[in-house]
Amino acid sequence: MAEYNLQAEREFRGLLKERQAYEEALALIQWDLRTKIPAKGADQRSEVIGFLSQKSYQLSTSDRMKHYIDTLKSRPSNENIKRSLEECEEEYNRNRKIPEQEFKEFTMLQSKSETVWQKAREAGDFKLLQPYLEKLVDYNIKFAEYWGYEKNRYDALLQIYEPGVTTELLDDVFQKLRTSLTDLVEKVNQAKQKPDSAILQKHFPKSGQEKFTTEILKRMGYDFEAGRLDETIHPFAIALNPQDVRVTTRYDEEDFRMAVFGTIHEGGHALYEQNINEELALTPLATGTSMGMHESQSLFWENFVARSEAFWINHYPLFQSMAPEPFKEIAFSDFYKAVNEVKPSLIRIEADEMTYSLHIMIRYELEKALINEEIEVKDLPELWNQKMEAYLKVRPKSDREGVLQDIHWSAGDFGYFPSYALGYMYAAQFHQSLNKEMDVDEAVRSGDFGKIKHWLTENIHQHGKLKRPLEILKEVTNEGLNPEYLVNHLKEKYSKIYRM
């Protein structure tokens, strides 16, 4: 039996390698689709995506896969194989419930819809995307029913992105967080001394922004020999494999903050993927354990490092050396306060630390209602605007700065948005734990990002998907999800900035 299992394990690894080849090709196509593809090439590319996705789907639901799962799971040779088998079995059971033709049609629709979203966003016209989005919602509802759930249909989709988290838990945590955040925002609004962000609204050529952000990525530890930085409409990081993890950003020459903080954010994602234990390569474990855990890494670098006073004490001279002359006249304290201004905004990726999670709650509530058939796609623009007004006291003037600003729904990714707020809460808890082992501000102030990166790699990155998200959170922080750390961080930081 032992000899047979060893042979079966070799064959199982071969099957995983074969499937990884399709997944890597798909990732490269997705990167190209969002960055470099000529407009007329999108339809044919959708056909290719559908074909490759179907091949990967067939491998994950094949009789061969079932045979290896049944043969090996009772006596796995090590923990990596055990967890790989568990991941494959979960995916096998989930995907086998979806008819193959429906899966292919869904993946083709996803890529077509993304292309239409770009056109709709440019035109500021939701109706261009509406018929595609209606079909994507219908598919997600069908898939949720295929997979099954206990209390809420939305839970079936949520498990894809954040295993172990339920709608019931989110409703409870988000309610507590919303109460604290709205109270803090109100206090900030009443503060007499406010930062002047107008001092940042100066022309900053793209070339200079790229030079600065590239240098920061290098200092963070991003390996440019295993990655690259490109431009796109909606920034993202994508891992083809641990030796090819790509970062994209978006430049605004009238507001450098979009590229600087956006690039650092995506760099946090990339560091996660670049530092997964190489023993997990070519297995389903060679990726982040959940989207929430992924967001914890990007938000840790963006908010707890790059928006800190310690970061700018160290990097403001570098910034000024690469910025146009007008920036050289801005005093450090004014600059630091300005980049941390709290001001409800229309665009999620431009949101400040305090209001960011409110943006996520709006999206969460809308997509949860869509999946539970409580609202219709056609009503999204108006419902979006109403919630923006209720939560943030701002109202979009167009679909472009409203319901069309994010790519996620056009990509068919329902259940994804809560990961952003979860990741923010995870990041606050990690920051608290790291501070018990070292003075984080002192490390940032001295430019010693190596210590921080090493701690994150040892505690989070290296494990890939070997451990579940809530398991990692408990091991690192000695407790479960706790929004109080994020609330306390915001209170402490902004009480100083706004002298509350």
Side-chain angles (χ1 to χ4, degrees):
M1 175 65 75
E3 183 179 352
Y4 173 76
N5 278 344
L6 187 61
Q7 177 62 27
E9 184 179 309
R10 283 196 289 263
E11 294 173 358
F12 174 61
R13 288 181 180 275
L15 179 58
L16 293 181
K17 186 176 181 180
E18 183 179 349
R19 186 177 169 218
Q20 176 58 29
Y22 286 110
E23 293 297 318
E24 185 166 329
L26 280 165
L28 181 59
I29 290 173
Q30 291 289 355
W31 170 83
D32 181 70
L33 194 66
R34 297 179 184 181
T35 56
K36 305 291 184 182
I37 191 170
K40 292 183 178 180
D43 285 345
Q44 174 62 23
R45 194 62 53 84
S46 297
E47 296 287 337
V48 175
I49 288 173
F51 173 80
L52 294 176
S53 297
Q54 186 177 29
K55 289 296 183 181
S56 177
Y57 170 88
Q58 289 171 344
L59 290 176
S60 70
T61 59
S62 66
D63 292 339
R64 287 168 63 200
M65 180 64 78
K66 179 63 172 171
H67 168 71
Y68 297 133
I69 292 171
D70 292 342
T71 301
L72 296 170
K73 71 178 182 179
S74 61
R75 297 182 62 184
S77 62
N78 57 56
E79 187 64 21
N80 291 356
I81 290 294
K82 177 185 176 183
R83 281 289 296 119
S84 292
L85 288 164
E86 289 172 352
E87 282 293 316
C88 288
E89 185 169 30
E90 287 180 15
E91 188 172 12
Y92 175 88
N93 291 334
R94 185 168 62 241
N95 286 347
R96 286 282 287 193
K97 294 177 181 178
I98 301 176
E100 185 176 325
Q101 186 59 30
E102 283 189 24
F103 180 82
K104 181 180 179 181
E105 291 170 355
F106 175 68
T107 55
M108 291 174 62
L109 177 62
Q110 284 176 298
S111 56
K112 289 180 179 178
S113 180
E114 281 193 36
T115 302
V116 173
W117 166 78
Q118 293 184 24
K119 296 176 181 177
R121 184 182 178 280
E122 186 175 341
D125 186 358
F126 178 77
K127 289 184 178 180
L128 294 175
L129 180 64
Q130 182 180 325
Y132 294 85
L133 196 53
E134 287 172 342
K135 292 177 183 177
L136 287 168
V137 170
D138 288 343
Y139 271 116
N140 274 275
I141 290 172
K142 279 201 289 187
F143 293 170
E145 290 297 324
Y146 289 153
W147 295 328
Y149 50 90
E150 290 187 11
K151 295 182 179 180
N152 193 301
R153 182 189 285 162
Y154 186 75
D155 285 343
L157 304 178
L158 189 58
Q159 295 312 300
I160 298 173
Y161 303 101
E162 207 62 30
V165 173
T166 63
T167 305
E168 187 175 24
L169 173 63
L170 286 179
D171 287 344
D172 178 58
V173 172
F174 281 172
Q175 177 59 45
K176 294 175 182 176
L177 187 59
R178 184 187 305 114
T179 300
S180 296
L181 291 179
T182 51
D183 179 57
L184 281 172
V185 171
E186 182 61 28
K187 288 180 179 177
V188 165
N189 289 338
Q190 293 176 2
K192 294 181 178 179
Q193 295 194 27
K194 293 182 171 66
D196 179 14
S197 63
I199 63 174
L200 305 179
Q201 307 296 313
K202 303 179 188 299
H203 186 75
F204 192 151
K206 184 173 74 174
S207 58
Q209 294 186 44
E210 185 175 9
K211 187 177 178 182
F212 179 74
T213 53
T214 298
E215 179 60 28
I216 297 301
L217 282 178
K218 290 177 180 177
R219 295 187 181 193
M220 288 168 60
Y222 177 70
D223 184 357
F224 272 93
E225 292 188 359
R228 54 183 291 140
L229 175 63
D230 292 281
E231 191 173 355
T232 189
I233 295 176
H234 196 291
F236 65 95
I238 191 165
L240 280 65
N241 62 64
Q243 303 304 317
D244 189 348
V245 183
R246 306 181 182 197
V247 173
T248 67
T249 194
R250 179 179 163 197
Y251 299 101
D252 182 342
E253 293 192 327
E254 305 309 317
D255 190 345
F256 69 87
R257 289 172 294 180
M258 170 152 332
V260 168
F261 293 113
T263 305
I264 292 170
H265 179 100
E266 300 306 333
H269 282 303
L271 287 178
Y272 193 170
E273 294 288 339
Q274 284 188 340
N275 291 282
I276 291 171
N277 192 322
E278 60 183 19
E279 292 181 3
L280 302 180
L282 300 177
T283 76
L285 309 180
T287 188
T289 189
S290 74
M291 293 315 302
M293 194 58 65
H294 239 301
E295 285 303 317
S296 77
Q297 300 310 286
S298 57
L299 290 170
F300 184 95
W301 284 101
E302 179 189 359
N303 290 340
F304 291 90
V305 175
R307 291 187 188 272
S308 71
E309 186 175 23
F311 177 87
W312 287 106
I313 286 174
N314 182 286
H315 293 91
Y316 194 46
L318 176 69
F319 176 86
Q320 288 185 311
S321 72
M322 298 178 177
E325 196 63 33
F327 285 94
K328 296 176 172 57
E329 301 171 2
I330 303 175
F332 170 79
S333 61
D334 294 334
F335 177 88
Y336 167 66
K337 291 174 183 177
V339 297
N340 283 288
E341 179 189 35
V342 173
K343 185 177 181 180
S345 65
L346 294 168
I347 309 301
R348 174 183 64 86
I349 61 174
E350 298 174 9
D352 58 78
E353 287 184 270
M354 199 175 286
T355 61
Y356 181 80
S357 294
L358 296 174
H359 283 265
I360 302 308
M361 293 177 201
I362 290 170
R363 291 151 174 79
Y364 163 67
E365 291 172 8
L366 288 174
E367 67 177 25
K368 182 177 65 170
L370 280 172
I371 297 304
N372 286 311
E373 299 181 271
E374 297 166 355
I375 62 174
E376 296 182 44
V377 170
K378 67 180 177 64
D379 298 321
L380 274 178
E382 179 56 29
L383 291 172
W384 179 289
N385 293 350
Q386 289 175 8
K387 284 188 177 291
M388 287 291 288
E389 203 160 24
Y391 282 53
L392 294 162
K393 305 295 188 294
V394 293
R395 188 179 182 87
K397 295 179 181 178
S398 70
D399 292 342
R400 180 177 182 177
E401 61 183 18
V403 71
L404 287 173
Q405 66 181 269
D406 294 306
I407 195 173
H408 305 64
W409 289 343
S410 67
D413 295 334
F414 291 86
Y416 188 129
F417 272 120
S419 302
Y420 290 110
L422 283 168
Y424 203 0
M425 288 183 277
Y426 293 163
Q429 288 184 242
F430 291 145
H431 184 257
Q432 175 75 10
S433 295
L434 178 55
N435 252 323
K436 293 176 181 178
E437 298 186 28
M438 72 176 78
D439 186 331
V440 178
D441 276 351
E442 179 55 36
V444 173
R445 191 178 296 112
S446 65
D448 188 2
F449 294 153
K451 288 182 181 178
I452 297 173
K453 176 176 174 287
H454 176 76
W455 188 89
L456 293 171
T457 296
E458 288 296 306
N459 288 280
I460 301 160
H461 301 167
Q462 67 162 330
H463 301 302
K465 220 170 184 178
L466 192 61
K467 298 180 179 182
R468 303 284 188 178
L470 296 181
E471 180 185 358
I472 289 177
L473 184 70
K474 186 65 178 290
E475 286 183 0
V476 177
T477 69
N478 292 316
E479 62 180 306
L481 181 62
N482 187 345
E484 286 305 308
Y485 292 104
L486 175 57
V487 173
N488 291 339
H489 161 74
L490 294 171
K491 280 182 180 178
E492 181 179 350
K493 178 175 180 177
Y494 286 95
S495 291
K496 294 177 182 177
I497 292 175
Y498 280 82
R499 299 185 181 181
M500 296 188 296

